[in-house]
Amino acid sequence: MQAARARLAGDARFVFARRCITRPAEAGGEDHLPMTEDAFLAARDAGAFALWWPAHGLFYGIPVAMEADLAAGRVVVANLSRAVLAEAAARYPVRVLNITAPLPVLAARLEARGREDAADIAARLAREAALPAGLDIATVLNDSTVAEGAARVLATLSQAAADARPAGRARPAPTG
C-alpha cells in the first residue's frame, strides 16, 4: 500500500487517510498519527473520527476530514478493520480492497515487522474475520514483489476511481 500511495501522490483523484492509532510513532509500520489512549478517547467523544475501532489492544480511527474528500468526489483509501466494514458501508459508498496473500507469506511479513512474537502472529492469523456479506469487494493477491503488488493495487484503485465518476460519487477503498 505504501508503494501505491507513493505512485499516486500527485493524483488528485485519491486521498490516503492517515489513521490515528494509540501506538507510538517509533513502533514502526505505517505512517500514522500517534495518540495516547486518553487523547484518542477524547477525540472520539468530540466527533473527530468518521470511523473508529479497537483491535490488537489499540484504538484506531479515521479522521472525519475524509468526509470532505468524499464530498469533493475523491476516492478515499482507508485501512480499516473488518469489524468496522459494515458500519462504513452503511454510512459511505464503499468498495473493499481486500489485499491478501497465502498464510505462510502473511506470517513471514508479520514476523519481519517485528512488532509481534510468533504466538501473537499465529493468534492474529487464526482470528482472521470474514468479510461482511453484501460488500463490493475487489481482491488483490499480494504474493509477489512489492512492484507487482503495487501494480495490482494501482489497477484496482484506478478502476474504483473510474467506477465512481459516472455516478458522481467517490468510493472509499478500505483495505481489509
Side-chain angles (χ1 to χ4, degrees), residues 43-169:
R44 177 201 65 191
D45 293 346
F49 302 120
L51 298 162
W52 71 275
W53 63 96
H56 316 296
L58 303 170
F59 286 103
Y60 297 78
I62 303 298
V64 74
M66 74 119 194
E67 291 175 348
D69 290 312
L70 284 175
R74 294 184 187 92
V75 173
V76 176
V77 182
N79 185 356
L80 302 180
S81 167
R82 291 170 187 250
V84 77
L85 288 176
E87 177 187 352
R91 297 175 53 205
Y92 307 105
V94 170
R95 172 170 295 162
V96 175
L97 178 56
N98 182 33
I99 303 172
T100 190
L103 284 178
V105 173
L106 292 174
R109 289 175 179 166
L110 289 170
E111 184 179 346
R113 286 191 330 191
R115 291 197 312 246
E116 300 162 303
D117 64 26
D120 290 335
I121 291 169
R124 182 179 184 135
L125 294 174
R127 73 174 174 262
E128 185 75 16
L131 289 167
L135 296 176
D136 179 2
I137 301 170
T139 298
V140 174
L141 185 61
N142 185 18
D143 62 348
S144 186
T145 65
V146 171
E148 178 62 28
R152 292 174 184 166
V153 168
L154 286 168
T156 304
L157 289 175
S158 293
Q159 186 62 55
D163 291 348
R165 295 298 177 231
R169 297 174 68 186

